[in-house]
Amino acid sequence: IKIISEGKKMKKFILLVVLFTFNSYSQYWVEQVSGVTTQLYTVSGTAGSNAVWTAGESGVILRTTNGGTNWLPANTGIPPAALIYSIWAVDEITAIAAGMNGTTSNIWRTSNGGASWQVVLSQASGFFNCIAMKRSNPLHGLVQGDPVGGRWSIWKTSNGGVNWDSTGCYLPQNGSE
């Protein structure tokens, strides 16, 4: 009976540790109000600053430079039917977004806080899943997408997303994966 009793005490102790750990870290999460009713799919912040970008349905891209107190539209030039599934905050005014406009996959880039966006990569089919830029050197990065034409869509940049190249990124599709 003592072993069972000690076991119950241990379970309670572990539960208290878990609850304490959860409560001590939950103070860092603050709910934000975006001001939009569309679905938001992606968010990216910049290291050492209060700049954060978020994006989603209907070409919506929002940006904050004060840690989320105010969110402002930053989607001038993004088609209203676009679905933005990935965004990467390079810095407070530069971001790269990936998504679909109809059946075309696009990578858009802004260097003026979202006042205008340019298509820097377009693919007739497929789907770009994610963007990843090096935090230590944001000139270098990758975008990865679904297979197109028997190969995975993998593109790299060495100039901050201005141009994208798939040379040396050939990864063949295996069956119907």
Side-chain angles (χ1 to χ4, degrees):
I1 294 176
K2 283 186 176 181
I3 293 173
I4 294 172
S5 175
E6 287 176 14
K8 287 182 180 179
K9 288 179 185 176
M10 181 58 101
K11 288 179 184 176
K12 288 179 183 176
F13 175 74
I14 291 171
L15 179 61
L16 288 174
V17 170
V18 170
L19 288 174
F20 174 75
T21 303
F22 177 76
N23 285 334
S24 65
Y25 286 106
S26 66
Q27 66 187 340
Y28 298 108
W29 292 96
V30 178
E31 185 177 5
Q32 301 287 311
V33 178
S34 69
V36 298
T37 58
T38 58
Q39 291 272 10
L40 298 172
Y41 299 130
T42 180
V43 64
S44 177
T46 57
S49 117
N50 286 322
V52 180
W53 297 75
T54 187
E57 290 181 350
S58 304
V60 169
I61 298 178
L62 304 171
R63 179 176 77 108
T64 182
T65 56
N66 57 15
T69 301
N70 304 101
W71 290 90
L72 301 172
N75 58 339
T76 303
I78 300 291
L83 301 171
I84 309 297
Y85 292 107
S86 183
I87 196 160
W88 188 271
V90 176
D91 56 37
E92 289 188 4
I93 62 168
T94 308
I96 300 166
M100 300 285 294
N101 185 27
T103 59
T104 303
S105 294
N106 289 312
I107 303 290
W108 292 274
R109 184 179 188 276
T110 185
S111 58
N112 58 13
S116 64
W117 291 81
Q118 296 75 39
V119 174
V120 291
L121 179 60
S122 187
Q123 185 170 272
S125 60
F127 180 86
F128 292 126
N129 298 309
C130 66
I131 301 167
M133 304 294 283
K134 261 181 115 171
R135 287 282 179 210
S136 61
N137 184 353
L139 293 177
H140 296 276
L142 292 170
V143 64
Q144 180 273 327
D146 291 347
V148 174
R151 67 179 278 192
W152 284 92
S153 296
I154 302 173
W155 300 79
K156 62 185 175 182
T157 184
S158 58
N159 60 6
V162 174
N163 302 103
W164 295 86
D165 182 22
S166 64
T167 304
C169 299
Y170 185 81
L171 183 59
Q173 179 180 357
N174 186 5
S176 64
E177 65 179 359

PDB file of all heavy atoms in Angstrom, residues 152-175:
ATOM      1  N   TRP A 152      10.878  18.124 -57.524  1.00  0.00           N
ATOM      2  CA  TRP A 152      10.435  18.993 -56.443  1.00  0.00           C
ATOM      3  C   TRP A 152      10.819  20.432 -56.757  1.00  0.00           C
ATOM      4  O   TRP A 152      11.875  20.706 -57.321  1.00  0.00           O
ATOM      5  CB  TRP A 152      11.061  18.564 -55.115  1.00  0.00           C
ATOM      6  CG  TRP A 152      10.398  17.342 -54.571  1.00  0.00           C
ATOM      7  CD1 TRP A 152      10.776  16.049 -54.785  1.00  0.00           C
ATOM      8  CD2 TRP A 152       9.227  17.292 -53.772  1.00  0.00           C
ATOM      9  NE1 TRP A 152       9.907  15.203 -54.157  1.00  0.00           N
ATOM     10  CE2 TRP A 152       8.943  15.933 -53.521  1.00  0.00           C
ATOM     11  CE3 TRP A 152       8.378  18.256 -53.233  1.00  0.00           C
ATOM     12  CZ2 TRP A 152       7.861  15.528 -52.758  1.00  0.00           C
ATOM     13  CZ3 TRP A 152       7.305  17.844 -52.474  1.00  0.00           C
ATOM     14  CH2 TRP A 152       7.054  16.494 -52.240  1.00  0.00           C
ATOM     15  N   SER A 153       9.963  21.361 -56.396  1.00  0.00           N
ATOM     16  CA  SER A 153      10.237  22.784 -56.595  1.00  0.00           C
ATOM     17  C   SER A 153      11.106  23.281 -55.449  1.00  0.00           C
ATOM     18  O   SER A 153      10.633  23.501 -54.341  1.00  0.00           O
ATOM     19  CB  SER A 153       8.933  23.583 -56.628  1.00  0.00           C
ATOM     20  OG  SER A 153       8.151  23.199 -57.715  1.00  0.00           O
ATOM     21  N   ILE A 154      12.384  23.409 -55.733  1.00  0.00           N
ATOM     22  CA  ILE A 154      13.337  23.946 -54.761  1.00  0.00           C
ATOM     23  C   ILE A 154      14.110  25.043 -55.481  1.00  0.00           C
ATOM     24  O   ILE A 154      14.708  24.822 -56.530  1.00  0.00           O
ATOM     25  CB  ILE A 154      14.297  22.863 -54.229  1.00  0.00           C
ATOM     26  CG1 ILE A 154      13.498  21.731 -53.590  1.00  0.00           C
ATOM     27  CG2 ILE A 154      15.295  23.470 -53.249  1.00  0.00           C
ATOM     28  CD1 ILE A 154      14.324  20.537 -53.186  1.00  0.00           C
ATOM     29  N   TRP A 155      14.046  26.233 -54.927  1.00  0.00           N
ATOM     30  CA  TRP A 155      14.692  27.395 -55.515  1.00  0.00           C
ATOM     31  C   TRP A 155      15.540  28.071 -54.445  1.00  0.00           C
ATOM     32  O   TRP A 155      15.195  28.050 -53.274  1.00  0.00           O
ATOM     33  CB  TRP A 155      13.646  28.379 -56.032  1.00  0.00           C
ATOM     34  CG  TRP A 155      12.744  27.810 -57.083  1.00  0.00           C
ATOM     35  CD1 TRP A 155      11.671  26.987 -56.897  1.00  0.00           C
ATOM     36  CD2 TRP A 155      12.844  28.000 -58.482  1.00  0.00           C
ATOM     37  NE1 TRP A 155      11.099  26.662 -58.092  1.00  0.00           N
ATOM     38  CE2 TRP A 155      11.793  27.279 -59.099  1.00  0.00           C
ATOM     39  CE3 TRP A 155      13.707  28.733 -59.303  1.00  0.00           C
ATOM     40  CZ2 TRP A 155      11.595  27.261 -60.463  1.00  0.00           C
ATOM     41  CZ3 TRP A 155      13.504  28.718 -60.668  1.00  0.00           C
ATOM     42  CH2 TRP A 155      12.467  27.984 -61.236  1.00  0.00           C
ATOM     43  N   LYS A 156      16.634  28.681 -54.869  1.00  0.00           N
ATOM     44  CA  LYS A 156      17.517  29.375 -53.921  1.00  0.00           C
ATOM     45  C   LYS A 156      17.725  30.813 -54.377  1.00  0.00           C
ATOM     46  O   LYS A 156      17.563  31.145 -55.555  1.00  0.00           O
ATOM     47  CB  LYS A 156      18.858  28.655 -53.809  1.00  0.00           C
ATOM     48  CG  LYS A 156      19.632  28.603 -55.105  1.00  0.00           C
ATOM     49  CD  LYS A 156      20.894  27.793 -54.979  1.00  0.00           C
ATOM     50  CE  LYS A 156      21.562  27.675 -56.361  1.00  0.00           C
ATOM     51  NZ  LYS A 156      22.751  26.870 -56.310  1.00  0.00           N
ATOM     52  N   THR A 157      18.055  31.650 -53.407  1.00  0.00           N
ATOM     53  CA  THR A 157      18.383  33.048 -53.692  1.00  0.00           C
ATOM     54  C   THR A 157      19.673  33.393 -52.967  1.00  0.00           C
ATOM     55  O   THR A 157      19.958  32.854 -51.894  1.00  0.00           O
ATOM     56  CB  THR A 157      17.257  34.011 -53.258  1.00  0.00           C
ATOM     57  OG1 THR A 157      17.608  35.343 -53.658  1.00  0.00           O
ATOM     58  CG2 THR A 157      16.995  33.967 -51.767  1.00  0.00           C
ATOM     59  N   SER A 158      20.435  34.269 -53.563  1.00  0.00           N
ATOM     60  CA  SER A 158      21.647  34.765 -52.907  1.00  0.00           C
ATOM     61  C   SER A 158      21.653  36.295 -52.893  1.00  0.00           C
ATOM     62  O   SER A 158      22.664  36.905 -52.573  1.00  0.00           O
ATOM     63  CB  SER A 158      22.901  34.230 -53.619  1.00  0.00           C
ATOM     64  OG  SER A 158      22.889  34.618 -54.975  1.00  0.00           O
ATOM     65  N   ASN A 159      20.491  36.892 -53.249  1.00  0.00           N
ATOM     66  CA  ASN A 159      20.403  38.358 -53.235  1.00  0.00           C
ATOM     67  C   ASN A 159      19.119  38.842 -52.549  1.00  0.00           C
ATOM     68  O   ASN A 159      18.482  39.778 -52.994  1.00  0.00           O
ATOM     69  CB  ASN A 159      20.528  38.922 -54.645  1.00  0.00           C
ATOM     70  CG  ASN A 159      19.440  38.418 -55.582  1.00  0.00           C
ATOM     71  OD1 ASN A 159      18.508  37.733 -55.174  1.00  0.00           O
ATOM     72  ND2 ASN A 159      19.565  38.759 -56.851  1.00  0.00           N
ATOM     73  N   GLY A 160      18.762  38.173 -51.465  1.00  0.00           N
ATOM     74  CA  GLY A 160      17.628  38.624 -50.657  1.00  0.00           C
ATOM     75  C   GLY A 160      16.272  38.409 -51.291  1.00  0.00           C
ATOM     76  O   GLY A 160      15.321  39.094 -50.946  1.00  0.00           O
ATOM     77  N   GLY A 161      16.179  37.456 -52.216  1.00  0.00           N
ATOM     78  CA  GLY A 161      14.892  37.135 -52.830  1.00  0.00           C
ATOM     79  C   GLY A 161      14.566  37.959 -54.056  1.00  0.00           C
ATOM     80  O   GLY A 161      13.464  37.863 -54.584  1.00  0.00           O
ATOM     81  N   VAL A 162      15.501  38.745 -54.541  1.00  0.00           N
ATOM     82  CA  VAL A 162      15.264  39.512 -55.766  1.00  0.00           C
ATOM     83  C   VAL A 162      15.182  38.553 -56.950  1.00  0.00           C
ATOM     84  O   VAL A 162      14.318  38.681 -57.808  1.00  0.00           O
ATOM     85  CB  VAL A 162      16.371  40.568 -55.988  1.00  0.00           C
ATOM     86  CG1 VAL A 162      16.209  41.266 -57.333  1.00  0.00           C
ATOM     87  CG2 VAL A 162      16.358  41.591 -54.850  1.00  0.00           C
ATOM     88  N   ASN A 163      16.093  37.568 -56.998  1.00  0.00           N
ATOM     89  CA  ASN A 163      16.101  36.536 -58.036  1.00  0.00           C
ATOM     90  C   ASN A 163      16.152  35.163 -57.389  1.00  0.00           C
ATOM     91  O   ASN A 163      16.714  35.002 -56.307  1.00  0.00           O
ATOM     92  CB  ASN A 163      17.321  36.690 -58.958  1.00  0.00           C
ATOM     93  CG  ASN A 163      17.369  38.039 -59.625  1.00  0.00           C
ATOM     94  OD1 ASN A 163      18.135  38.896 -59.221  1.00  0.00           O
ATOM     95  ND2 ASN A 163      16.538  38.237 -60.632  1.00  0.00           N
ATOM     96  N   TRP A 164      15.565  34.174 -58.085  1.00  0.00           N
ATOM     97  CA  TRP A 164      15.530  32.799 -57.604  1.00  0.00           C
ATOM     98  C   TRP A 164      16.074  31.885 -58.689  1.00  0.00           C
ATOM     99  O   TRP A 164      15.803  32.093 -59.873  1.00  0.00           O
ATOM    100  CB  TRP A 164      14.109  32.393 -57.222  1.00  0.00           C
ATOM    101  CG  TRP A 164      13.608  33.185 -56.056  1.00  0.00           C
ATOM    102  CD1 TRP A 164      12.997  34.411 -56.096  1.00  0.00           C
ATOM    103  CD2 TRP A 164      13.715  32.835 -54.683  1.00  0.00           C
ATOM    104  NE1 TRP A 164      12.704  34.835 -54.824  1.00  0.00           N
ATOM    105  CE2 TRP A 164      13.131  33.889 -53.932  1.00  0.00           C
ATOM    106  CE3 TRP A 164      14.228  31.743 -54.001  1.00  0.00           C
ATOM    107  CZ2 TRP A 164      13.061  33.874 -52.549  1.00  0.00           C
ATOM    108  CZ3 TRP A 164      14.152  31.728 -52.624  1.00  0.00           C
ATOM    109  CH2 TRP A 164      13.570  32.780 -51.901  1.00  0.00           C
ATOM    110  N   ASP A 165      16.825  30.841 -58.291  1.00  0.00           N
ATOM    111  CA  ASP A 165      17.465  29.935 -59.229  1.00  0.00           C
ATOM    112  C   ASP A 165      17.328  28.503 -58.703  1.00  0.00           C
ATOM    113  O   ASP A 165      17.485  28.275 -57.499  1.00  0.00           O
ATOM    114  CB  ASP A 165      18.943  30.324 -59.355  1.00  0.00           C
ATOM    115  CG  ASP A 165      19.705  29.478 -60.341  1.00  0.00           C
ATOM    116  OD1 ASP A 165      19.088  28.862 -61.234  1.00  0.00           O
ATOM    117  OD2 ASP A 165      20.945  29.430 -60.225  1.00  0.00           O
ATOM    118  N   SER A 166      17.040  27.560 -59.586  1.00  0.00           N
ATOM    119  CA  SER A 166      16.919  26.164 -59.155  1.00  0.00           C
ATOM    120  C   SER A 166      18.130  25.325 -59.547  1.00  0.00           C
ATOM    121  O   SER A 166      18.147  24.121 -59.315  1.00  0.00           O
ATOM    122  CB  SER A 166      15.643  25.537 -59.726  1.00  0.00           C
ATOM    123  OG  SER A 166      15.711  25.488 -61.140  1.00  0.00           O
ATOM    124  N   THR A 167      19.174  25.945 -60.097  1.00  0.00           N
ATOM    125  CA  THR A 167      20.386  25.224 -60.479  1.00  0.00           C
ATOM    126  C   THR A 167      20.990  24.541 -59.252  1.00  0.00           C
ATOM    127  O   THR A 167      21.171  25.168 -58.214  1.00  0.00           O
ATOM    128  CB  THR A 167      21.419  26.186 -61.100  1.00  0.00           C
ATOM    129  OG1 THR A 167      20.813  26.859 -62.197  1.00  0.00           O
ATOM    130  CG2 THR A 167      22.657  25.452 -61.560  1.00  0.00           C
ATOM    131  N   GLY A 168      21.274  23.267 -59.389  1.00  0.00           N
ATOM    132  CA  GLY A 168      21.864  22.505 -58.286  1.00  0.00           C
ATOM    133  C   GLY A 168      20.859  22.060 -57.242  1.00  0.00           C
ATOM    134  O   GLY A 168      21.226  21.463 -56.235  1.00  0.00           O
ATOM    135  N   CYS A 169      19.576  22.332 -57.460  1.00  0.00           N
ATOM    136  CA  CYS A 169      18.534  21.969 -56.493  1.00  0.00           C
ATOM    137  C   CYS A 169      17.635  20.864 -57.039  1.00  0.00           C
ATOM    138  O   CYS A 169      16.484  20.755 -56.629  1.00  0.00           O
ATOM    139  CB  CYS A 169      17.684  23.191 -56.145  1.00  0.00           C
ATOM    140  SG  CYS A 169      18.586  24.549 -55.397  1.00  0.00           S
ATOM    141  N   TYR A 170      18.149  20.067 -57.959  1.00  0.00           N
ATOM    142  CA  TYR A 170      17.322  19.045 -58.588  1.00  0.00           C
ATOM    143  C   TYR A 170      17.086  17.880 -57.630  1.00  0.00           C
ATOM    144  O   TYR A 170      18.011  17.236 -57.159  1.00  0.00           O
ATOM    145  CB  TYR A 170      17.971  18.530 -59.875  1.00  0.00           C
ATOM    146  CG  TYR A 170      17.090  17.559 -60.608  1.00  0.00           C
ATOM    147  CD1 TYR A 170      16.055  18.011 -61.414  1.00  0.00           C
ATOM    148  CD2 TYR A 170      17.255  16.185 -60.470  1.00  0.00           C
ATOM    149  CE1 TYR A 170      15.208  17.136 -62.084  1.00  0.00           C
ATOM    150  CE2 TYR A 170      16.417  15.306 -61.128  1.00  0.00           C
ATOM    151  CZ  TYR A 170      15.412  15.783 -61.935  1.00  0.00           C
ATOM    152  OH  TYR A 170      14.582  14.914 -62.576  1.00  0.00           O
ATOM    153  N   LEU A 171      15.837  17.649 -57.309  1.00  0.00           N
ATOM    154  CA  LEU A 171      15.430  16.514 -56.479  1.00  0.00           C
ATOM    155  C   LEU A 171      14.243  15.870 -57.183  1.00  0.00           C
ATOM    156  O   LEU A 171      13.153  16.456 -57.236  1.00  0.00           O
ATOM    157  CB  LEU A 171      15.041  16.966 -55.076  1.00  0.00           C
ATOM    158  CG  LEU A 171      14.672  15.878 -54.074  1.00  0.00           C
ATOM    159  CD1 LEU A 171      15.812  14.897 -53.860  1.00  0.00           C
ATOM    160  CD2 LEU A 171      14.240  16.487 -52.772  1.00  0.00           C
ATOM    161  N   PRO A 172      14.451  14.678 -57.787  1.00  0.00           N
ATOM    162  CA  PRO A 172      13.354  14.072 -58.569  1.00  0.00           C
ATOM    163  C   PRO A 172      12.195  13.635 -57.691  1.00  0.00           C
ATOM    164  O   PRO A 172      12.370  13.235 -56.540  1.00  0.00           O
ATOM    165  CB  PRO A 172      14.022  12.870 -59.233  1.00  0.00           C
ATOM    166  CG  PRO A 172      15.217  12.559 -58.398  1.00  0.00           C
ATOM    167  CD  PRO A 172      15.649  13.847 -57.763  1.00  0.00           C
ATOM    168  N   GLN A 173      11.020  13.729 -58.277  1.00  0.00           N
ATOM    169  CA  GLN A 173       9.805  13.242 -57.633  1.00  0.00           C
ATOM    170  C   GLN A 173       9.865  11.715 -57.638  1.00  0.00           C
ATOM    171  O   GLN A 173      10.270  11.107 -58.629  1.00  0.00           O
ATOM    172  CB  GLN A 173       8.584  13.737 -58.395  1.00  0.00           C
ATOM    173  CG  GLN A 173       7.267  13.265 -57.829  1.00  0.00           C
ATOM    174  CD  GLN A 173       6.101  13.799 -58.639  1.00  0.00           C
ATOM    175  OE1 GLN A 173       6.256  14.562 -59.592  1.00  0.00           O
ATOM    176  NE2 GLN A 173       4.902  13.407 -58.260  1.00  0.00           N
ATOM    177  N   ASN A 174       9.438  11.088 -56.578  1.00  0.00           N
ATOM    178  CA  ASN A 174       9.421   9.644 -56.480  1.00  0.00           C
ATOM    179  C   ASN A 174       7.985   9.164 -56.557  1.00  0.00           C
ATOM    180  O   ASN A 174       7.236   9.311 -55.585  1.00  0.00           O
ATOM    181  CB  ASN A 174      10.084   9.190 -55.189  1.00  0.00           C
ATOM    182  CG  ASN A 174      10.231   7.695 -55.085  1.00  0.00           C
ATOM    183  OD1 ASN A 174       9.918   6.963 -56.026  1.00  0.00           O
ATOM    184  ND2 ASN A 174      10.709   7.218 -53.956  1.00  0.00           N
ATOM    185  N   GLY A 175       7.559   8.636 -57.697  1.00  0.00           N
ATOM    186  CA  GLY A 175       6.192   8.177 -57.855  1.00  0.00           C
ATOM    187  C   GLY A 175       5.222   9.335 -57.809  1.00  0.00           C
ATOM    188  O   GLY A 175       5.397  10.334 -58.481  1.00  0.00           O
TER     189      GLY A 175
END
